Amino acid sequence: MKVGVLGAGQLGRMLALAGVPLGLRFSFLDHAADACAGAIAPLTVGEFDTATVDAFAADCDVLTFDWENVPVAALAGTASAKLLPTRAALETGQDRWVEKEFFRALEIPTPGYRAVGSLLELERAVAELGLPAVLKTRRLGYDGKGQRLLRAAADLAPAFAALGAAPLVLEAFVPFEREVSLLAVRARNGEFRAWPLTENVHRDGILHSSVAPYADRALQAGAESQLRRVMERLDYVGVMALEYFVHRGALLANEFAPRVHNSGHWTIEGSVTSQFENHLRAIAGLALGDTAMRGHAAMLNLIGAMPPRDRLMTVAGANLHDYGKAPRPGRKVGHVTVVGADRAGVLARLAELEQRAA
Ligand code: AMP
């Protein structure tokens, strides 16, 4: 079976690395000739338009994506019949306001939010939600890009001038205790399996590190029921991540990612079946794998440039993943995972890795 992947970044690369042992074959489509999954499987360089995507998908048995901003219009042709997850998930997740409305319809609590199309609407939204608040572009935002924190009334006009060429959403700022995410997989027959909640630390809007399982197990059942509702409503097949703020001990949904997710990279070594393998099992119509953990796990992202490998690989049990990407400020170039029987030991090795990667 041949899997076509739209986007050839590190997520696509890790999908292929997980799928080859299952006997799957891969091909990638990306506009960048040096996209890092191209080192693992054939890469077609092209734009995401209907003709290119249809031609690319013609000799694939199933089509998926490693990038959630694939233009939905490019999936209007024959390729759409092979696409999993389906267009509805992409479409809903590509617009932050539509996504929040979707959560609301499913009775999933979110931070307060308002659509903003003008400075006047921004002023009204701030009057209703209060300050601080976060102004975000509705589309094409990721890793903290396209966002401004508003602290005082004087911040409104400059923030609107910077972002207001595009439709915006204003969100109440959440003074969260923690950020967590839930990853789950749904099969073609509707079977649903979730991994334990993961605790995430972001720096400058980019994921810095993840630790699983989240210490407070009491939130697991509620999160699973919410993500299951999201996936069922979208008739979703594959892996999805739902990112949350924990505020006053309760979950507020931030956003979902209709794909494998950075906060699930620890599942490669830390879980019986990784997010990458389970995504492939789901879209290929195979039986899902066990999502149980192999102890505690922690993952550190390597951002900007690869530190000297020896410095990381000499930490006990460190699993290094170098994506083979050229260095660039803010770019995810790799990650490293440690797994162990006790949480304290795993956290100590994470701290050691952080120090050595700095
Ligand atoms: P996002 O692109 O929406 O995931 O935002 C990136 C990061 O910015 C989040 O993981 C949070 O650390 C922070 N952030 C975004 N929205 C809010 C909010 N409404 N309140 C507090 N922090 C936020």
Side-chain angles (χ1 to χ4, degrees):
M1 178 179 275
K2 187 163 171 187
V3 181
V5 186
L6 303 175
Q10 65 268 19
L11 301 178
R13 180 177 163 115
M14 288 185 274
L15 278 173
L17 289 169
V20 168
L22 303 181
L24 301 174
R25 291 180 302 125
F26 289 84
S27 66
F28 290 92
L29 176 66
D30 201 296
H31 54 258
D34 65 348
C36 70
I40 310 292
L43 168 67
T44 301
V45 180
E47 293 307 315
F48 292 117
D49 57 52
T50 312
T52 310
V53 170
D54 284 354
F56 169 75
D59 76 332
C60 298
D61 300 293
V62 61
L63 187 66
T64 192
F65 45 88
D66 91 335
W67 187 52
E68 69 274 28
N69 287 318
V70 172
V72 174
L75 298 163
T78 51
S80 67
K82 296 180 180 177
L83 186 72
L84 287 174
T86 54
R87 273 173 42 158
L90 266 177
E91 229 161 358
T92 308
Q94 282 180 355
D95 183 316
R96 289 183 189 274
W97 184 78
V98 171
E99 187 179 15
K100 292 269 187 323
E101 290 283 288
F102 176 76
F103 284 141
R104 194 160 67 106
L106 292 174
E107 298 179 352
I108 296 173
T110 68
Y113 63 95
R114 297 286 185 278
V116 168
S118 66
L119 185 55
L120 186 65
E121 281 178 11
L122 177 58
E123 285 163 358
R124 276 196 201 131
V126 166
E128 287 171 17
L129 297 179
L131 289 175
V134 189
L135 188 62
K136 302 181 179 182
T137 54
R138 281 172 57 169
R139 305 182 73 88
L140 294 173
Y142 66 99
D143 285 351
K145 294 185 174 70
Q147 302 193 10
R148 289 284 189 289
L149 178 63
L150 310 181
R151 295 174 197 276
D155 296 339
L156 273 57
F160 187 80
L163 301 178
L168 305 173
V169 61
L170 185 76
E171 294 178 17
F173 178 82
V174 182
F176 53 79
E177 292 106 61
R178 289 274 179 272
E179 291 188 87
V180 299
S181 56
L182 187 74
L183 282 106
V185 60
R186 186 169 181 270
R188 290 184 184 191
N189 67 3
E191 188 189 352
F192 170 93
R193 294 189 185 193
W195 285 267
L197 276 167
T198 301
E199 177 176 340
N200 303 313
V201 174
H202 290 84
R203 286 195 185 159
D204 301 324
I206 303 176
L207 184 66
H208 168 74
S209 60
S210 297
V211 175
Y214 180 51
D216 182 357
R217 304 287 183 108
L219 297 176
Q220 181 77 27
E224 280 190 27
S225 127
Q226 291 181 358
L227 183 48
R228 186 196 278 261
R229 291 207 300 276
V230 168
M231 291 169 107
E232 284 177 356
R233 180 63 64 93
L234 294 167
D235 199 14
Y236 194 88
V237 176
V239 165
M240 176 181 274
L242 181 44
E243 294 186 78
Y244 289 105
F245 304 119
V246 180
H247 181 47
R248 297 187 179 138
L251 293 170
L252 291 176
N254 176 23
E255 60 182 354
F256 71 76
R259 54 167 170 76
V260 288
H261 192 255
N262 195 169
S263 66
H265 289 0
W266 62 263
T267 60
I268 296 174
E269 292 89 7
S271 171
V272 176
T273 314
S274 77
Q275 61 165 344
F276 301 100
E277 180 171 333
N278 256 342
H279 182 74
L280 294 166
R281 285 179 179 232
I283 65 172
L286 303 168
L288 297 183
D290 190 351
T291 52
M293 290 194 69
R294 301 178 188 271
H296 293 261
M299 185 236 38
L300 178 69
N301 261 346
L302 304 171
I303 311 245
M306 279 298 291
R309 286 167 227 222
D310 276 3
R311 284 181 62 76
L312 302 173
M313 291 167 74
T314 45
V315 171
N319 299 282
L320 182 66
H321 298 255
D322 179 344
Y323 306 151
K325 290 163 74 171
R328 192 194 298 156
R331 193 177 207 198
K332 294 172 179 171
V333 295
H335 75 267
V336 55
T337 300
V338 287
V339 179
D342 71 295
R343 182 176 157 91
V346 164
L347 292 180
R349 284 188 287 149
L350 174 64
E352 173 79 30
L353 286 167
E354 284 182 290
Q355 202 184 9
R356 293 188 184 206

